[in-house]
Amino acid sequence: MSIAIAIDGPAGAGKSTIAKAAAKHLGFIYVDTGAMYRAIGLYCLRNDVDPADSEAVTALLENIDVSLARDENKNQLVILNGEDVSGLIRTEAVSMAASRCSAIPAVRAFLLDLQRNMAKEFDVIMDGRDIGTVVLPDAKVKIFLTASSEIRARRRYDELIEKGQQAVYEDVLADVIERDNNDMNRPIAPLKPAEDSVLVDTSELNLEESIALLIKTIEENK
Ligand code: DC
C-alpha cells in the first residue's frame, strides 16, 4: 500500500517549495495539483475562453489532455496536449485563470481521477486546496500550510522579481486576497483545513525552518 501525505493551503504559503523539499528528504513523489489547474487556465487563455464561463470551459475539456512527467532531476513537468508548459503556467494571468476555472465542477472532476491514480501508484506528497478534504480523504497525514496574506504576497512578489517579471507589491497583495476569496468561497471543494489536519504556519519562519517543521510534522504523524 502506498502512503499519501496531503498538503493544502492558500496561494503563496510556500507549499510547493516546502513540500518538494520534504518529499525529496522522505523519498516521496511530489505532486503539485495546482499545476494541473494552471494548465487548463492556460488553455482557456490561449483559446480566448473566459475561464469563469462554466459552459464554455466544460466544452473545452474534451480537447485537453493534461499529464505530469519528471525531468532528469525528478522535477515535475506539466504536459498539456504533448507540450511541456511547466514554465508558461507560472504567470499572474495564468494564476488567476486557474483560480477561476478551478471553481467549475467539470474541471475538478476531470482532474480528480488523475490525482487519485497517482496516489494509488506511488508514495506521494500531494499539494493543493482540497487534497485532505476531497481528493485523498484517507491520507496518512494531512497538513494545512499557511502564512499571513501580507507575507504570502511579499514572497510571491520577490519570486516574480527574481524571475525578471514586472510586479507591484500592492497588486500582488490584491491578487492574493482575490484568489483566497475565490478559493475559499466556491461552492465546490472550497479551500479549508480538513478536520483531522495539522496546522503549519510559516509566517515567522524562513525557508529552511519551514521545511524542517514540515518534515518534523510529517514524521511525528505518519
Ligand atoms: O497552487 P497554485 O497556486 O498553483 O494553484 C492554482 C489555482 O488552482 C488556485 O487558485 C486554486 C486552484 N487549485 C484548486 O482549486 N485545487 C487544487 N487542488 C489545487 C489548485
Side-chain angles (χ1 to χ4, degrees):
M1 262 280 278
S2 54
I3 301 176
I5 314 284
I7 303 192
D8 292 303
K15 271 185 313 189
S16 52
T17 314
I18 299 168
K20 204 187 290 175
K24 199 167 175 199
H25 178 89
L26 297 163
F28 281 43
I29 300 242
Y30 168 66
V31 180
D32 169 9
T33 60
M36 301 173 179
Y37 289 96
R38 285 170 180 270
I40 296 178
L42 175 66
Y43 192 86
C44 292
L45 295 181
R46 280 179 167 178
N47 289 278
D48 274 331
V49 167
D50 174 0
D53 182 337
S54 177
E55 226 168 279
V57 176
T58 301
L60 271 193
L61 290 174
E62 64 180 71
N63 307 325
I64 301 181
D65 180 63
V66 177
S67 60
L68 299 182
R70 306 277 144 192
D71 69 9
E72 64 279 9
N73 298 319
K74 297 209 177 139
N75 290 317
Q76 175 183 280
L77 300 176
V78 189
I79 313 295
L80 170 64
N81 293 340
E83 177 190 355
D84 175 5
V85 293
S86 314
L88 295 173
I89 57 173
R90 301 290 162 195
T91 64
E92 284 305 285
V94 173
S95 297
M96 203 51 83
S99 179
R100 296 207 186 296
C101 73
S102 68
I104 299 170
V107 170
R108 305 206 71 83
F110 181 76
L111 294 177
L112 188 64
D113 283 347
L114 189 60
Q115 294 164 357
R116 284 193 177 148
N117 286 339
M118 299 196 77
K120 259 187 222 149
E121 222 174 308
F122 307 104
D123 289 341
V124 292
I125 292 193
M126 192 173 285
D127 128 19
R129 301 293 188 286
D130 61 336
I131 309 305
T133 50
V134 177
V135 181
L136 305 175
D138 298 325
K140 189 86 179 56
V141 185
K142 298 180 185 176
I143 291 173
F144 197 79
L145 191 78
T146 190
S148 73
S149 42
E150 289 75 17
I151 298 256
R152 290 186 283 122
R154 173 62 58 191
R155 290 178 186 162
R156 174 98 20 173
Y157 170 83
D158 290 346
E159 217 175 85
L160 290 169
I161 297 295
E162 201 172 302
K163 281 187 198 151
Q165 293 185 27
Q166 298 226 319
V168 175
Y169 171 76
E170 285 71 23
D171 294 347
V172 178
L173 177 61
D175 277 4
V176 163
I177 292 170
E178 186 180 343
R179 250 190 340 133
D180 282 358
N181 274 334
N182 289 345
D183 297 348
M184 290 190 294
N185 295 314
R186 62 182 178 217
I188 175 171
L191 169 65
K192 62 166 189 218
E195 271 178 22
D196 47 351
S197 65
V198 183
L199 182 77
V200 173
D201 189 323
T202 68
S203 300
E204 306 291 329
L205 305 180
N206 67 26
L207 189 58
E208 277 89 60
E209 292 165 340
S210 304
I211 295 167
L213 178 59
L214 182 65
I215 292 172
K216 181 166 163 270
T217 309
I218 293 171
E219 280 179 336
E220 279 173 3
N221 290 280
K222 83 174 184 202

